[in-house]
């Protein structure tokens, strides 16, 4: 061991960067296992050990980045919910007060059973449609910008981390696995903030608003609806973990598929030399079929959750 420590010190003295020391020593003929063990011990002894960030600490850092995006998503959900709740009211006023026997609400009461009320209701419907459409454009571009900002920050951090990994660490995963995680898996973090969280927040706001409106019309029906809400959470509690398990398996399977495809393309000459084309294609095709089966199961439970 003293000899390999001396070799490490000599490499450092020659200006070799820490992430390349293990690679240089292995190229010189030192056993890889011995080099990795000695290098990690040397890094630890000299205060250069790679600091491992716990998942909770990393998640807190990402949470701080995502808080402004979450606030914007909440505001967008509030405005979008407002347009959704206002949309049926012109038709209701038209049916109740223009063609029915119920007086028009508020300042519209003098126009009950008149053509003026029909004109006002029609103008309100057009205004709501135009307002909702214009807000839809603003909403899409805002969410696109927020998603790009979140993706860019996490992709930059991830790629910077990969590029600074010592070479013996980089060899622990296939190149395709790194590429898939960098290009695809990182997107799931912003999707969690924008898609999932936006949907959850929007649904909660919608439920509260609908219950408030129902209370003003029929208290007993509202109470009955409130009793049914725990059944929704119970369904999510039962189905959610199943979908999470399938989605995790799909992510791992996609990573493995990307790694095998990348390795096959990178080593095409070797594959052809040993006539391994059919074997590799069969293995990758099996992974594709497994992905299809997992996607079908995830979709089945997703339909149960949405329709149930």
């Amino acid at each position: 061991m003293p000899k390999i420590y001396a070799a490490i010190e000599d490499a450092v003295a020659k200006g070799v960067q820490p992430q390349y020391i293990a690679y240089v020593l292995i190229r010189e003929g030192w056993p890889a296992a011995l080099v990795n063990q000695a290098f990690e011990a040397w890094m630890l002894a000299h205060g250069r050990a790679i600091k491992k960030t716990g998942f909770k600490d990393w998640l807190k850092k990402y949470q701080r980045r995502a808080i402004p995006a979450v606030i914007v998503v909440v505001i967008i959900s509030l405005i979008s919910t407002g347009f959704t709740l206002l949309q049926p009211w012109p038709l209701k006023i038209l049916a109740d007060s223009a063609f029915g026997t119920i007086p028009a609400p508020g300042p519209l009461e003098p126009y009950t059973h008149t053509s003026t009320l029909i004109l006002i209701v029609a103008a309100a419907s057009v205004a709501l449609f135009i307002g909702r459409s214009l807000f839809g454009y603003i909403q899409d571009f805002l969410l696109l910008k927020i998603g790009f900002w979140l993706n860019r920050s996490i992709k930059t951090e991830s790629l910077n981390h990969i590029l600074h990994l010592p070479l013996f660490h980089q060899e622990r995963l296939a190149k395709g696995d790194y590429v898939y995680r960098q290009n695809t898996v990182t997107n799931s973090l912003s999707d969690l903030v924008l898609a999932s969280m936006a949907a959850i927040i929007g649904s909660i706001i919608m439920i509260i608003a609908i219950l408030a409106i129902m209370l003003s019309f029929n208290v007993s029906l509202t109470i009955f609806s409130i009793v049914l809400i725990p059944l929704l959470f119970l369904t999510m509690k039962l189905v959610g973990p199943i979908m999470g398990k399938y989605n995790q398996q799909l992510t791992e399977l996609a990573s493995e598929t990307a790694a095998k495809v990348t390795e096959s393309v990178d080593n095409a000459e070797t594959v052809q030399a040993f006539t391994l084309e059919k074997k590799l294609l069969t293995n990758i095709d099996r992974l594709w079929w497994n992905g299809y089966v997992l996607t079908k199961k995830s979709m089945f439970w997703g339909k149960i959750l949405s329709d149930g």
Side-chain angles (χ1 to χ4, degrees), residues 34 44 56 61 74 82 92 125 213 220 228 237-238 251 266 305:
L34 181 62
L44 183 63
K56 290 184 178 180
K61 182 173 67 173
V74 171
K92 182 182 185 305
S125 299
I213 296 173
S220 58
L228 293 178
K237 186 69 175 178
L238 294 175
T251 300
D266 287 344
L305 181 61

Side-chain angles (χ1 to χ4, degrees), residues 138-179:
I138 298 173
Q139 178 182 3
D140 291 342
F141 281 104
L142 276 177
L143 292 179
L144 175 64
K145 186 174 182 179
I146 294 171
F148 171 76
W149 174 71
L150 288 173
N151 280 338
R152 180 173 174 270
S153 63
I154 192 61
K155 284 178 182 291
T156 301
E157 180 181 348
S158 173
L159 183 59
N160 183 62
H161 173 72
I162 292 173
L163 294 177
H164 283 81
L165 282 175
L167 293 181
F168 72 89
H169 276 284
Q170 294 181 9
E171 294 173 356
R172 292 181 178 179
L173 290 176
K175 291 181 181 179
D177 204 343
Y178 279 115
V179 172

Side-chain angles (χ1 to χ4, degrees), residues 5 11 17 39 42 48-49 63 68 116 123 129 135 153 157 181 197 207 209 249-250 277 294 301:
Y5 287 135
Q17 293 295 322
F39 178 67
W42 183 87
R48 299 188 182 184
Q63 183 183 19
T116 304
F129 173 78
F135 179 74
S153 63
E157 180 181 348
R181 296 186 184 200
M197 186 167 292
I207 290 173
Q249 292 177 0
L250 276 171
E277 299 93 333
L294 289 174
W301 286 103

Side-chain angles (χ1 to χ4, degrees), residues 1-305:
M1 292 297 286
K3 291 183 178 181
I4 194 170
Y5 287 135
I8 294 174
E9 295 286 356
D10 183 58
V12 173
K14 292 179 180 178
V16 179
Q17 293 295 322
Q19 62 265 33
Y20 300 119
I21 291 177
Y23 175 75
V24 170
L25 294 180
I26 293 173
R27 289 289 299 271
E28 291 178 355
W30 292 91
L34 181 62
V35 169
N36 293 338
Q37 180 182 357
F39 178 67
E40 289 183 355
W42 183 87
M43 292 277 284
L44 183 63
H46 289 75
R48 299 188 182 184
I50 299 174
K51 184 179 179 181
K52 295 183 179 180
T53 304
F55 178 73
K56 290 184 178 180
D57 296 332
W58 179 86
L59 193 61
K60 287 181 180 178
K61 182 173 67 173
Y62 188 78
Q63 183 183 19
R64 288 193 296 270
R65 297 180 186 177
I67 284 177
V70 173
I71 294 174
V72 174
V73 169
V74 171
I75 295 174
I76 290 175
S77 298
L78 284 172
I79 300 174
S80 179
T81 301
F83 277 111
T84 303
L85 292 175
L86 286 174
Q87 191 173 5
W89 281 96
L91 183 61
K92 182 182 185 305
I93 295 174
L94 183 67
D96 292 344
S97 305
F99 303 111
T101 58
I102 301 175
L108 298 178
E109 185 176 359
Y111 305 106
T112 303
H113 298 154
T114 64
S115 58
T116 304
L117 180 63
I118 298 176
L119 182 62
I120 294 174
V121 169
S125 299
V126 173
L128 281 174
F129 173 78
I130 295 174
R132 186 176 184 182
S133 299
L134 292 176
F135 179 74
Y137 284 105
I138 298 173
Q139 178 182 3
D140 291 342
F141 281 104
L142 276 177
L143 292 179
L144 175 64
K145 186 174 182 179
I146 294 171
F148 171 76
W149 174 71
L150 288 173
N151 280 338
R152 180 173 174 270
S153 63
I154 192 61
K155 284 178 182 291
T156 301
E157 180 181 348
S158 173
L159 183 59
N160 183 62
H161 173 72
I162 292 173
L163 294 177
H164 283 81
L165 282 175
L167 293 181
F168 72 89
H169 276 284
Q170 294 181 9
E171 294 173 356
R172 292 181 178 179
L173 290 176
K175 291 181 181 179
D177 204 343
Y178 279 115
V179 172
Y180 176 79
R181 296 186 184 200
Q182 173 65 28
N183 292 338
T184 305
V185 176
T186 50
N187 291 336
S188 61
L189 297 172
S190 65
D191 292 341
L192 175 65
V193 174
L194 298 179
S196 301
M197 186 167 292
I200 292 172
I201 292 174
S203 299
I204 292 175
I205 295 174
M206 181 71 75
I207 290 173
I208 294 174
I210 290 175
L211 289 177
I213 296 173
M214 288 176 63
L215 276 172
S216 63
F217 285 101
N218 193 320
V219 177
S220 58
L221 180 61
T222 305
I223 294 175
F224 178 74
S225 301
I226 294 175
V227 172
L228 293 178
I229 288 179
L231 296 178
L232 174 62
F233 289 102
L234 180 61
T235 304
M236 295 175 63
K237 186 69 175 178
L238 294 175
V239 178
I242 299 175
M243 292 185 61
K245 181 185 69 173
Y246 287 135
N247 289 334
Q248 181 180 358
Q249 292 177 0
L250 276 171
T251 300
E252 294 173 352
L253 187 64
S255 179
E256 183 181 357
T257 304
K260 287 189 178 296
V261 171
T262 303
E263 288 179 354
S264 300
V265 174
D266 287 344
N267 301 307
E269 294 181 358
T270 305
V271 171
Q272 293 175 10
F274 291 92
T275 61
L276 298 174
E277 299 93 333
K278 187 175 181 179
K279 179 179 179 181
L280 288 175
L281 184 59
T282 301
N283 293 336
I284 295 173
D285 184 64
R286 184 168 61 250
L287 294 176
W288 288 336
W289 271 106
N290 291 340
Y292 165 73
V293 173
L294 289 174
T295 302
K296 185 168 61 175
K297 292 180 179 178
S298 178
M299 185 175 64
F300 171 75
W301 286 103
K303 292 293 289 182
I304 291 178
L305 181 61

